[in-house]
């Protein structure tokens, strides 16, 4: 019996990307800089002391960071119980779809469209078409921004005017924020659907609905009803390939949105990463022979990376690590667990955007001899899963276990 579990810690990069300078990210290292900040006493809010990740360290996290970036972190050294690697991305983007698609075996074959750092950033041909087709009184912001600052700046004006808030980032994305009750959640989703029809032909990767509640700048908060409308991958991913082999695919978190809800058998969501981990455990308990569980834990990225909150990011890593034994204890003979990431989001870095980095790849499986696979490619993750499940190989990677699990 063969089952596979692919867990993506969103934005938990480990530095060292060979093309980081092309993205303005030379020297960025999400895990490395968090560990250094903790060691130096600069991440003491809600936690204290060196970064404590004993379970991830035992799977080779410290070794993966060293292989990726040359950084030695003694606090992440531990007797090895798994197989580690560090993965390099070839897709020309440091965004969520690029990373996940390539991890799923499909590097992005085109250049995404990015809105320029101008004011406005979103051009009139987009906003005017959206206003006309969606029957809107207008739009607000239309510039580069991030989640909570844009709500504090424009939320009250949105409630008063009925104009949704449009903004973008360094990613290929159009985000639309609106109040769940004053504007209406279903109306927001419909506006985003129309926006996707407008910008997807431009190769804008995602339109994201960002609903929020509250009545004042001080009380606004985003809700769990986010919805991503993504361009579908250009060829079959590991999700499609598992289904073609008659396996079931169990998506956790925003995996459905990232893959345009293609190749999914079941989908579970949760209000935060701990709820998503609960959903992952439930999926592991019920997954059958030939099945793939594919999970994304987004809070690392959205709650701590983008706001540049080092302490919060460290707390989230330690909380995940503390619960990791709940996952590994469920592994049965024939199971393969891979823990990885899709890009970086160094909370010590300038700005608020993702950072171009290599990512750790940590493998656990009953009977797997501990060791290191060195530097691999993102697409190698999918091919390792495919080899483990005994399904045909794809076109873009290799089984880096060769196949030992």
């Amino acid at each position: 019996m063969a089952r596979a579990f692919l867990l993506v810690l969103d934005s938990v990069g480990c530095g060292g990307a060979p093309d980081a300078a092309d993205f303005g990210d030379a020297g960025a290292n999400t895990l490395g800089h968090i560990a250094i900040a903790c060691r130096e006493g600069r991440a003491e809010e809600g936690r204290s002391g060196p970064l404590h990740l004993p379970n991830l360290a035992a799977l080779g996290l410290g070794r993966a960071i060293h292989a990726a970036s040359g950084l030695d972190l003694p606090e992440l050294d531990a007797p090895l119980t798994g197989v580690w690697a560090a993965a390099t991305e070839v897709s020309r983007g440091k965004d969520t779809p690029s990373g996940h698609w390539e991890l799923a075996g499909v590097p992005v074959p085109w250049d995404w469209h990015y809105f320029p750092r101008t004011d406005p950033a979103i051009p009139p041909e987009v906003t005017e078409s959206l206003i006309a087709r969606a029957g809107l009184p207008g739009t607000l912001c239309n510039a580069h921004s991030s989640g909570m600052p844009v709500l504090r700046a424009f939320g009250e004006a949105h409630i008063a005017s009925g104009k949704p808030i449009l903004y973008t980032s360094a990613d290929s994305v159009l985000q639309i924020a609106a109040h769940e009750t004053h504007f209406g959640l279903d109306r927001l989703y419909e506006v985003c659907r129309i926006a996707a029809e407008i910008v997807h032909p431009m190769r804008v990767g995602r339109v994201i609905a960002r609903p929020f509640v509250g009545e004042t700048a001080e009380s606004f908060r985003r809700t769990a009803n986010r919805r991503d409308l993504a361009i579908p991958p250009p060829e079959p991913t590991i999700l499609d390939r598992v289904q073609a082999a008659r396996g079931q695919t169990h998506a956790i978190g925003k995996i459905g949105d990232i893959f345009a809800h293609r190749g999914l058998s079941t989908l579970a969501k949760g209000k935060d990463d701990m709820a998503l981990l609960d959903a992952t455990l439930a999926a592991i308990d019920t997954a059958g022979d030939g099945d793939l569980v594919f999970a994304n834990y987004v809070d690392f990225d959205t709650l701590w990376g983008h706001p540049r909150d080092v302490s919060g990011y460290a707390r989230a890593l330690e909380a995940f690590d503390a619960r990791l034994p709940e996952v590994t204890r469920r592994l049965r003979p024939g199971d393969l667990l891979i823990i990885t990431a899709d890009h970086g989001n160094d909370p010590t870095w300038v700005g608020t955007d993702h950072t171009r980095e290599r990512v750790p790849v940590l493998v656990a499986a009953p009977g797997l001899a501990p060791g290191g696979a060195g530097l691999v490619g993102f697409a190698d993750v999918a091919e390792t899963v495919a080899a483990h499940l005994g399904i045909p190989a794809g076109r873009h990677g290799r089984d880096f276990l060769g196949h030992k699990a």
Side-chain angles (χ1 to χ4, degrees), residues 35-61:
I36 291 170
C38 290
R39 184 195 307 161
E40 295 177 350
R42 295 184 287 110
E44 296 287 303
E45 296 177 15
R47 60 164 311 282
S48 186
L51 187 63
H52 185 63
L53 304 175
N55 298 301
L56 290 167
L59 293 180
L61 181 62

Side-chain angles (χ1 to χ4, degrees), residues 87-146:
T88 305
E89 185 175 9
V90 299
S91 300
R92 292 292 300 167
K94 54 179 179 176
D95 52 275
T96 295
S98 296
H100 280 79
W101 290 7
E102 193 169 330
L103 289 169
V106 182
V108 179
W110 55 66
D111 288 330
W112 296 109
H113 177 82
Y114 300 94
F115 292 113
R117 288 191 174 275
T118 56
D119 192 2
I122 302 162
E125 56 265 31
V126 171
T127 55
E128 290 174 3
S129 179
L130 182 61
I131 289 167
R133 291 182 56 184
L136 299 172
T139 61
L140 297 171
C141 186
N142 300 318
H144 279 248
S145 188
S146 58

Side-chain angles (χ1 to χ4, degrees), residues 7 15 20 64 98 117 135 160 165 206 219 229 294 306 365 387:
L7 312 186
S98 296
R117 288 191 174 275
I165 305 165
R206 288 178 294 163
S219 64
L229 288 78
F294 195 167
H306 288 299

Side-chain angles (χ1 to χ4, degrees), residues 142-367:
N142 300 318
H144 279 248
S145 188
S146 58
M148 289 311 300
V150 81
L151 295 188
R152 288 190 286 266
F154 294 96
E156 292 180 8
H158 158 71
I159 292 172
S161 67
K163 299 176 181 179
I165 305 165
L166 275 60
Y167 63 107
T168 188
S169 70
D171 291 344
S172 178
V173 64
L174 173 62
Q175 306 198 65
I176 305 180
H179 199 281
E180 281 202 357
T181 54
H182 291 292
F183 190 85
L185 187 59
D186 288 340
R187 187 181 178 204
L188 172 59
Y189 290 159
E190 176 63 12
V191 170
C192 289
R193 184 193 66 78
I194 295 169
E197 291 181 353
I198 296 169
V199 301
H200 279 174
M202 300 166 57
R203 297 293 191 201
V204 174
R206 288 178 294 163
V207 174
I208 304 178
R210 289 288 196 179
F212 67 97
V213 295
E215 299 299 323
T216 65
E218 294 74 24
S219 64
F220 291 142
R221 62 178 179 83
R222 297 194 294 190
T223 75
N225 292 318
R226 164 181 170 161
R227 182 173 293 178
D228 293 37
L229 288 78
I231 294 176
E235 62 181 275
T237 70
I238 191 64
L239 292 163
D240 302 301
R241 291 157 58 193
V242 168
Q243 285 193 327
R246 301 188 182 280
Q248 298 289 300
T249 59
H250 308 284
I252 312 294
K254 64 177 187 175
I255 294 298
D257 291 334
I258 293 168
F259 290 93
H261 293 269
R262 200 177 78 183
L264 307 185
S265 303
T266 69
L267 174 62
K269 292 196 173 186
K271 64 182 178 66
D272 56 29
D273 280 355
M274 292 299 101
L276 293 173
L277 187 52
D278 290 337
T280 303
L281 297 175
I284 292 172
D285 288 341
T286 59
D289 188 23
D291 285 5
L292 168 65
V293 176
F294 195 167
N296 170 278
Y297 306 102
V298 72
D299 289 352
F300 300 105
D301 187 52
T302 59
L303 297 185
W304 317 117
H306 288 299
R308 297 301 191 245
D309 185 337
V310 181
S311 294
Y313 211 131
R315 290 196 307 271
L317 288 167
E318 290 170 339
F320 179 88
D321 186 88
R323 294 197 63 187
L324 183 55
E326 297 178 54
V327 177
T328 55
R329 282 196 299 265
R330 283 171 162 80
L331 298 181
R332 311 193 294 241
D335 286 351
L336 176 71
L337 169 68
I338 299 179
I339 301 170
T340 187
D342 55 341
H343 51 69
N345 200 344
D346 187 340
T348 73
W349 206 244
V350 296
T352 62
D353 298 322
H354 295 154
T355 43
R356 180 73 162 188
E357 302 180 37
R358 288 183 168 125
V359 300
V361 182
L362 310 178
V363 184

